[in-house]
Amino acid sequence: MIKLIATDIDGTLLHSDQTLPEDISEVINKLHEKNILFSVASGRPYLTLQQDFEPLSPNILYIADNGSHVVYQGKELAVHSIDNSIINELILLTREIPQAYSVVCTTKGAFVESDEPAFLTELEKYYVKYTVVDDLTKLDERVIKYTVCDLNGAEQNSYPKFLPYQETIQLCVAGFVWLDFMQKGINKGTAIKEIQELYNITPEESMAFGDYMNDLEMMKSVYYSYAMANAHEDLKKVSRFETASNDEDGVTTKVKEMCNLE
């Protein structure tokens, strides 16, 4: 019996036009009635996810900032911060990369040091609360995620430049322009394991859906791992199953089938 369902958002639950499946409210409410935890697992911050899913928020467990911040019904279940000295090094390196911009993420919102229109256009797709400051290295905040927005393409352009840091911090390509950094060892998969332990749920009672490489560990933390038809080929290789694409409502269709919601 499935007791926990986790789904990525962009490229997975959301259609390509950024709309949710028409039946998402019905599915989430029925899962809640059956005492099945429904979680959205995203690189997006909690404040953005909460706004995106109102008025369904009370029935959703949020895995935000790629596992760094886990919240359910207003209660923080996990918060994992990064050493600020490492953040400052990443900021300085990012400044050296053309068309790359720093985003420092906290539980209270994001901070940036550029007001470049092209960058803010990308930022505002995912961050509902951000503050522009003069110098991010002077920031005195508890940082849960650092992100690079690379308008030239994160995987091919900026990612190789940050590889020397992979021994001290968790990094992953989260989208075409996004490169995310979390506390070492923290990812969506570790968040799933924390939830499984907290609610006494096994991997065999867990299901997950994803499309990109920041979903990799999440796929490995559950038995019912579903890659979207539109997923990165490397993610498909580690997933046990495949479902229809995000534009074909692959998540809600499979959840209704597996959890007998019809």
Side-chain angles (χ1 to χ4, degrees):
M1 177 182 174
I2 302 298
K3 295 183 179 179
L4 170 65
I5 298 168
T7 179
D8 174 52
I9 303 299
D10 298 285
T12 302
L13 185 63
L14 279 182
H15 300 147
S16 297
D17 63 3
Q18 298 297 295
T19 58
L20 286 164
E22 290 184 2
D23 57 355
I24 188 63
S25 296
E26 174 191 358
V27 168
I28 291 175
N29 289 330
K30 284 186 176 180
L31 289 173
H32 185 68
E33 290 172 4
K34 294 171 75 87
N35 293 317
I36 299 172
L37 285 172
F38 179 80
S39 173
V40 292
S42 175
R44 298 185 184 210
Y46 167 63
L47 295 175
T48 299
L49 293 173
Q50 186 182 40
Q51 176 176 292
D52 290 344
F53 284 91
E54 286 293 354
L56 297 168
S57 280
N59 295 343
I60 299 174
L61 193 159
Y62 292 105
I63 298 175
D65 288 313
N66 285 327
S68 295
H69 194 199
V70 182
V71 184
Y72 186 42
Q73 297 179 335
K75 179 182 178 182
E76 289 184 336
L77 303 183
V79 181
H80 300 284
S81 58
I82 308 171
D83 187 290
N84 281 34
S85 63
I86 298 175
I87 296 298
N88 288 344
E89 290 183 30
L90 300 176
I91 292 168
L92 294 176
L93 179 53
T94 303
R95 289 174 180 172
E96 298 175 2
I97 304 172
Q99 295 294 294
Y101 303 90
S102 296
V103 184
V104 174
C105 307
T106 76
T107 58
K108 297 180 289 186
F111 294 85
V112 301
E113 60 182 10
S114 173
D115 58 2
E116 169 64 36
F119 162 56
L120 294 184
T121 296
E122 291 296 328
L123 183 75
E124 291 171 0
K125 293 177 183 179
Y126 308 104
Y127 293 85
V128 297
K129 184 179 180 181
Y130 68 88
T131 303
V132 181
V133 299
D134 292 331
D135 185 352
L136 286 173
T137 64
K138 299 292 193 295
L139 202 63
D140 184 21
E141 297 284 347
R142 185 185 186 189
V143 179
I144 58 174
K145 187 185 73 174
Y146 175 76
T147 294
V148 173
C149 177
D150 186 343
L151 299 181
N152 288 327
E155 186 169 9
Q156 301 301 323
N157 188 45
S158 54
Y159 177 65
K161 296 177 174 63
F162 288 98
L163 284 176
Y165 285 92
Q166 64 183 343
E167 296 301 318
T168 56
I169 196 167
Q170 192 81 19
L171 67 156
C172 67
V173 178
F176 179 72
V177 301
W178 297 106
L179 182 63
D180 288 347
F181 302 76
M182 289 75 62
Q183 182 188 115
K184 183 67 176 176
I186 297 302
N187 50 62
K188 293 180 183 181
T190 57
I192 293 292
K193 291 176 182 177
E194 288 175 323
I195 293 164
Q196 289 168 335
E197 184 175 347
L198 186 61
Y199 290 96
N200 195 29
I201 297 172
T202 68
E204 291 74 24
E205 297 170 323
S206 308
M207 177 187 296
F209 299 86
D211 77 304
Y212 220 77
M213 298 312 292
N214 62 333
D215 300 317
L216 180 67
E217 294 87 358
M218 181 168 70
M219 296 294 105
K220 295 179 179 180
S221 69
V222 305
Y223 178 80
Y224 295 98
S225 53
Y226 285 89
M228 309 304 289
N230 54 287
H232 194 294
E233 288 304 315
D234 288 343
L235 191 75
K236 290 181 179 180
K237 292 176 184 177
V238 301
S239 303
R240 285 189 176 87
F241 309 101
E242 187 172 320
T243 189
S245 73
N246 58 324
D247 287 325
E248 298 170 304
D249 294 339
V251 173
T252 53
T253 299
K254 184 57 64 174
V255 167
K256 286 194 287 189
E257 173 193 331
M258 295 294 291
C259 299
N260 300 313
L261 299 186
E262 298 289 2

